[in-house]
Amino acid sequence: MPAPRPLFAVLSGLLLGLIALTVAAAYASLLFQGKAAPYAGVGFSILLVGTAIGAALVARLSHQAGLVTGPDEASTIALASLVGSQLAAYPALSAEASALTVALMMALSGLLSGALFWLVGRFHLGRLVRYLPSPVVSGFLGGTGLLLLLAGLGLAAGVDGVSLAAPERWLALLEKPAQLACAVLLGLWLVFGGGRFGGRFFLPLSLLLAGGVFVLGAALGPWPLAQLQTAGWLYLPPVGGGGASGVLLGQLASVDWALLSGSLPGLLLVALIALLVMLLQLSALEQALKHDVEHDLELVAQGQANLLGGLFGSLPMVPFIGDTRLNIELAGPNRIAAVVVALVCLAGVFVGDVLMAWLPVFLLSGLLLYFGASLLGDAVSRARAASHGSDRAIIVTVLLAVNLLGIMEAALLGVCVTAVLFLLDYSRLDVVRQRYNARNAPSRISRPHAQRALLDDRPDWLAVYVLEGYLFFGGVQRLYDRIKAEHAADGPQVLLFDLKHVQGMDATALAVFERLAERMQGVGGLMLVSSARPQLERRLRPLSELGVVLATDLDSAVEQAERRMLAGMAANYGDWACAFAPLLAELAPYLETLQLRQNEALIRQDGSAPGLCFIKEGSVSVRLFVSGQHSLRLRRFVRGTVLGEISVYTGGSASATVYADEDTQVSYLTVAAIARLEQDNLPLALRLHRTVAAVMAERLQESNRSLQQATA
């Protein structure tokens, strides 16, 4: 970053002050049209005072030295559109009342913008721009650019209300072809010449050259001043100065407050547009300066500047990125240039009548064309660069709606179209995160081989759907159709939905779950819902009347499903649960028996197992204690299973604690008993070791399957 150069800072301030004078004149001409046109000089003075206050205050309060602020073009054209529509609805207003109404609406827009900036910055919401739909923003700014462009054409030809919605007024532009041609040529030169010959002084020098050539030609030529004013090259003698301001202030008693109050929603929208531009400008400033900018601090500073400027009738003001870059490149980070801009604007107030009388109309309209074309061109380039056709459609739709329907209507339409397209895109996403059957469902229950074989023999008796996202009418209907298609012939006996990754659901999703519950109830099946968040569980609770079971987690839900199926199979297969019964009968001389009450520990974490344990009755759970307090259930062992084999064969300590889930009977072989068995009956010992090895291999397969599920 270059060091401040005071002399160059003064020069920079003079150049930027000249631009500020021209911009203020252009905006005054844009706002004070129709009956209010004779008071454009007053509007010019108001804007200069507001710009001076804003520039000086931002120079004092901003944390970014060199920042230059001024009236925003997007919110200005939005305000001009609002002013035109409101005044058209009150044709009986006098010229003075119309001009005063415009001035008051300017002040209110500045005050509302200042308050909004300050609140957003004060409550640290400066990054809100990240959450705005980019296509809507681009279309909105492009639409305001087209409004500015059309307003510039209308100003050049002296035609009010030129817009896409009023094509009949376009022919009136041809009544002053020379004036229109000069404005268009100047606008084209500023747009394309700036890209080719652009430099620090291109814009001010171009305006000086165009204005100077015209004034010199008018002074030396044979055309009287009155003729140039009548022909539309110069303004008619404006009503300006302190006397005109006094006339307007004298009309305060006759202000139509109903008109102003009816304008408040539109003025708030103008403030929101200014906030949007402000946030975008701050983001652009970061890119231009290549360092972070404190959004919230700058919003507070700009808010205070707008509040004070609004008291004097100023328009919403935002940072000017181009002017700021010119200032810093020319003079380094300084606060002098902004103060000089303020002084130039204040000086312009005292010579406002003279300036307005000699500023060529085509110069101001050419500047509006330049601003409008820049905004419109940026929107077109974003539309061409958009990767999705829907984004391009949103940009074009909002752009046209701004010009055909109105700014407020376009904002509402843009949000609605974006929401509808989002819902359509989101509804195409598959809400099923994972799909399981009985063979690959994530279960933490160790069962005897016979039980597991029966459960896995025809695995489609269980259908597990792990869902994700937000369940609403689009995605959940696709889920319902998928379930019907997958189970058209022979549906599952148990239907399980895991909602761990579901954030919420709408009424349609709830109705679909109800239809599925009725369907399962009709075929004598069971429907379970697991891992629902508290608010979702409250909404799903009434489904219990249809037999729906709400489980705390997927593990316990799968366990309930398996227990239900095994209960139905026991009548056909008898007492097959304890597959170790024959082996245990032969091992009886070496076995010891332990009776455990519910919640009594069989094995302690970091302790040792009593031996190779066979669950003869009841069940136990393996729990791992984290940080000494919170416990996590790793696995459950039911009747007919064995545990403790790792400690027996490795001689290590237990890595988790084993508790009895209920009154449980355990038979176990100590290490010493196994050694005696190997001495006394080697064939029986080999059968024991082979049986345990088969169990360990099966558990290794289950662990691998669980790992695959976790990484799927």
Side-chain angles (χ1 to χ4, degrees):
M1 187 72 70
R5 297 187 289 273
L7 184 60
F8 283 93
V10 173
L11 176 60
S12 173
L14 291 173
L15 288 173
L16 297 176
L18 174 64
I19 296 174
L21 291 176
T22 312
V23 170
Y27 290 165
S29 305
L30 181 65
L31 290 163
F32 287 80
Q33 294 196 29
K35 290 183 179 180
Y39 289 89
V42 177
F44 179 52
S45 299
I46 291 173
L47 284 173
L48 289 179
V49 172
T51 302
I53 292 173
L57 201 56
V58 169
R60 172 69 179 82
L61 300 176
S62 175
H63 290 255
Q64 176 60 55
L67 195 66
V68 179
T69 193
D72 167 51
E73 63 264 25
S75 54
T76 298
I77 188 59
L79 179 61
S81 178
L82 177 65
V83 166
S85 62
Q86 290 294 86
L87 293 184
Y90 291 83
L93 288 178
S94 64
E96 291 75 15
S98 299
L100 182 58
T101 300
V102 175
L104 290 174
M105 291 176 72
M106 289 169 53
L108 286 173
S109 68
L111 289 170
L112 287 172
S113 299
L116 191 59
F117 288 10
W118 187 87
L119 287 171
V120 171
R122 175 65 179 78
F123 291 100
H124 309 292
L125 303 174
R127 300 283 178 176
L128 281 176
V129 69
R130 306 289 192 266
Y131 301 95
L132 296 173
S134 179
V136 175
V137 172
S138 298
F140 207 86
L141 294 179
T144 59
L146 184 56
L147 283 177
L148 265 176
L149 198 149
L150 295 175
L153 294 175
L155 179 63
V159 180
D160 295 337
V162 179
S163 68
L164 294 183
E168 69 279 358
R169 307 188 72 85
W170 285 62
L171 291 176
L173 295 175
L174 302 178
E175 295 177 1
K176 294 182 179 179
Q179 293 88 330
L180 185 64
C182 289
V184 170
L185 288 174
L186 177 60
L188 291 173
W189 168 252
L190 294 177
V191 171
F192 295 105
R196 186 169 183 179
F197 309 107
R200 299 170 180 172
F201 309 108
F202 177 79
L203 180 61
L205 287 180
S206 296
L207 296 176
L208 273 175
L209 182 62
V213 168
F214 176 82
V215 171
L216 183 62
L220 299 178
W223 309 282
L225 179 62
Q227 184 178 345
L228 292 174
Q229 291 170 338
T230 304
W233 291 100
L234 293 172
Y235 284 99
L236 292 170
V239 180
S245 301
V247 170
L248 292 185
L249 291 175
Q251 297 290 320
L252 277 174
S254 60
V255 170
D256 193 322
W257 298 108
L259 186 156
L260 286 176
S261 61
S263 304
L264 285 177
L267 291 172
L268 182 59
L269 181 61
V270 170
L272 288 171
I273 294 172
L275 174 63
L276 170 64
V277 174
M278 174 72 191
L279 294 172
L280 292 173
Q281 292 287 70
L282 289 176
S283 297
L285 188 63
E286 287 182 331
Q287 298 177 6
L289 301 180
K290 295 180 174 56
H291 64 73
D292 290 341
V293 173
E294 292 292 340
H295 286 56
D296 296 323
L297 296 178
E298 294 301 331
L299 279 164
V300 170
Q302 293 284 339
Q304 293 173 339
N306 274 278
L307 283 170
L308 188 56
L311 291 175
F312 290 87
S314 176
L315 290 168
M317 292 178 285
V318 300
F320 285 163
I321 303 303
D323 290 2
T324 300
R325 289 185 62 180
L326 186 151
N327 179 33
I328 293 177
E329 290 176 8
L330 185 63
N334 69 91
R335 302 181 188 274
I336 299 174
V339 176
V340 174
V341 170
L343 294 175
V344 171
C345 290
L346 289 177
V349 174
F350 298 101
V351 293
D353 293 349
V354 177
L355 284 175
M356 286 295 290
W358 280 97
L359 277 174
V361 173
F362 79 86
L363 188 72
L364 306 182
S365 59
L367 195 61
L368 293 179
L369 293 175
Y370 166 65
F371 288 151
S374 299
L375 288 173
L376 183 59
D378 183 64
V380 171
S381 64
R382 288 178 182 271
R384 293 177 61 184
S387 57
H388 295 287
S390 60
D391 291 342
R392 289 191 287 271
I394 292 173
I395 292 174
V396 174
T397 299
V398 175
L399 188 153
L400 294 175
V402 168
N403 288 268
L404 294 173
L405 303 178
I407 290 179
M408 187 174 296
E409 293 82 358
L412 187 60
L413 178 64
V415 172
C416 291
V417 170
T418 304
V420 169
L421 291 177
F422 169 77
L423 289 176
L424 290 175
D425 289 339
Y426 195 83
S427 66
R428 296 190 185 101
L429 297 178
D430 193 356
V431 297
V432 179
R433 182 187 180 99
Q434 288 170 311
R435 164 76 166 85
Y436 302 118
N437 57 24
R439 187 173 296 155
N440 59 12
S443 174
R444 295 178 182 174
I445 305 174
S446 287
R447 298 187 180 278
H449 177 74
Q451 286 189 13
R452 179 52 58 193
L454 286 171
L455 291 173
D456 294 351
D457 183 38
R458 294 182 179 178
D460 288 337
W461 66 264
L462 173 65
V464 180
Y465 293 90
V466 180
L467 308 181
E468 64 180 348
Y470 188 91
L471 306 181
F472 71 108
F473 57 86
V476 80
Q477 184 59 46
R478 293 178 70 243
L479 171 66
Y480 182 74
D481 295 338
R482 172 177 174 175
I483 292 173
K484 287 203 307 181
E486 290 180 349
H487 308 288
D490 186 16
Q493 297 179 50
V494 180
L495 184 61
L496 196 165
F497 296 101
D498 185 71
L499 306 185
K500 180 180 180 180
H501 304 285
V502 172
Q503 286 75 41
M505 65 173 61
D506 68 353
T508 304
L510 193 62
V512 167
F513 276 109
E514 185 176 347
R515 287 158 60 192
L516 290 170
E518 292 171 347
R519 182 177 178 179
M520 293 302 295
Q521 189 180 50
V523 298
L526 173 67
M527 177 171 160
L528 296 108
V529 177
S530 65
S531 311
R533 301 180 183 215
Q535 66 273 22
L536 291 180
E537 186 176 348
R538 286 193 293 271
R539 300 188 66 185
L540 292 167
R541 203 169 291 154
L543 296 181
S544 59
E545 299 178 3
L546 297 173
V548 175
V549 177
L550 300 179
T552 56
D553 52 52
L554 181 58
D555 181 34
S556 63
V558 172
E559 181 179 349
Q560 291 185 59
E562 291 179 346
R563 190 164 58 241
R564 181 181 188 274
M565 286 300 297
L566 290 171
M569 294 175 178
N572 298 325
Y573 293 93
D575 187 17
W576 39 256
C578 192
F580 293 126
L583 180 63
L584 293 179
E586 295 184 58
L587 292 172
Y590 302 92
L591 288 171
E592 297 182 38
T593 301
L594 187 63
Q595 294 287 341
L596 298 173
R597 298 189 192 90
Q598 186 178 6
N599 295 326
E600 188 176 351
L602 172 63
I603 304 172
R604 295 283 182 182
Q605 188 170 335
D606 297 326
S608 60
L612 193 61
C613 301
F614 299 90
I615 310 298
K616 295 186 68 175
E617 296 292 342
S619 61
V620 297
S621 287
V622 181
R623 292 189 173 274
L624 176 66
F625 281 85
V626 182
S627 303
Q629 296 179 349
H630 176 67
S631 68
L632 175 67
R633 190 178 88 163
L634 301 179
R635 203 152 196 83
R636 186 176 180 223
F637 294 85
V638 298
R639 180 188 177 199
T641 55
V642 61
L643 71 158
E645 70 279 3
I646 301 297
S647 296
V648 168
Y649 287 117
T650 64
S653 58
S655 58
T657 301
V658 180
Y659 287 102
D661 293 327
E662 53 193 315
D663 290 346
T664 302
Q665 182 181 0
V666 178
S667 294
Y668 64 94
L669 286 169
T670 64
V671 175
I674 294 173
R676 272 198 339 269
L677 174 65
E678 292 171 346
Q679 291 290 331
D680 300 343
N681 192 340
L682 186 58
L684 180 59
L686 288 176
R687 281 176 56 199
L688 170 66
H689 292 317
R690 286 171 181 166
T691 301
V692 174
V695 170
M696 295 175 68
E698 189 172 283
R699 289 177 184 169
L700 179 61
Q701 289 178 338
E702 292 178 357
S703 298
N704 290 337
R705 185 177 64 189
S706 299
L707 181 61
Q708 291 173 351
Q709 293 167 351
T711 58

